[in-house]
Amino acid sequence: MDDKHLAEELRLTIGHLVRTVRAADTMPPGESAVLGYLDRAGPMTTAEIAQQRGVTHQSAAKTVKDLLAQNLVRTEAHPGDGRKLLLHLTQAGRDRLAEERRRRADWLGAAINDVLDADERRTLEAALPLLSRLSTHLHGK
């Protein structure tokens, strides 16, 4: 298989896997994405979240409004610009995100256990650093 065909098969397979695993989610993908960004990067503005997600400011603002209503995030004045608000995860937001991640991992883990034999699981495990390197390389471009 040439590199272009391998790349397309990898893209399709990983995309399908991600969409399938998201079926275990109990919250909208935009909300879990925002919680994930705040968990990984720390406090952010709505504009920064919109940029990270590649959505409009209005779309990000709607998601943030929904998360605020559920007490999953809180705001505080931006220390460098009083006109802006920084969004922070609340403990409830951390708990909800952990629950979503646990649900995904449990579902995918059960599938790995059901479908893959021990050698296949080792092969999958060995592929993880390769996928991580690809992701890091692409993210840096």
Side-chain angles (χ1 to χ4, degrees):
M1 181 180 306
D2 68 20
D3 288 350
K4 287 184 180 183
H5 188 232
L6 176 61
E8 182 61 9
E9 287 298 313
L10 181 63
R11 186 191 68 76
L12 289 170
T13 301
I14 289 175
H16 184 255
L17 178 65
V18 167
R19 287 186 299 278
T20 301
V21 170
R22 282 188 183 146
D25 290 352
T26 61
M27 66 187 317
E31 290 182 12
S32 61
V34 170
L35 295 181
Y37 287 131
L38 293 174
D39 182 55
R40 288 185 300 275
M44 301 173 82
T45 65
T46 300
E48 290 168 332
I49 288 171
Q51 182 180 25
Q52 286 289 315
R53 292 199 57 225
V55 300
T56 65
H57 188 277
Q58 291 81 2
S59 176
K62 182 194 177 312
T63 300
V64 166
K65 180 181 175 186
D66 293 343
L67 292 169
L68 285 165
Q70 298 172 67
N71 295 313
L72 300 177
V73 298
R74 66 175 177 79
T75 61
E76 78 175 26
H78 191 289
D81 185 344
R83 299 168 298 169
K84 296 179 183 178
L85 293 174
L86 279 179
L87 300 164
H88 294 262
L89 270 179
T90 62
Q91 188 58 52
R94 280 187 186 79
D95 293 346
R96 182 69 187 273
L97 183 60
E99 176 187 323
E100 291 295 315
R101 288 174 172 167
R102 186 173 43 256
R103 184 178 293 104
R104 289 178 193 165
D106 288 350
W107 201 48
L108 184 55
I112 289 169
N113 188 53
D114 290 347
V115 174
L116 304 180
D117 64 30
D119 287 338
E120 291 170 324
R121 285 194 296 276
R122 282 190 287 278
T123 299
L124 182 61
E125 183 178 358
L128 294 176
L130 302 177
L131 295 170
S132 180
R133 279 180 34 213
L134 283 172
S135 180
T136 298
H137 175 76
L138 292 170
H139 191 265
K141 290 203 171 236

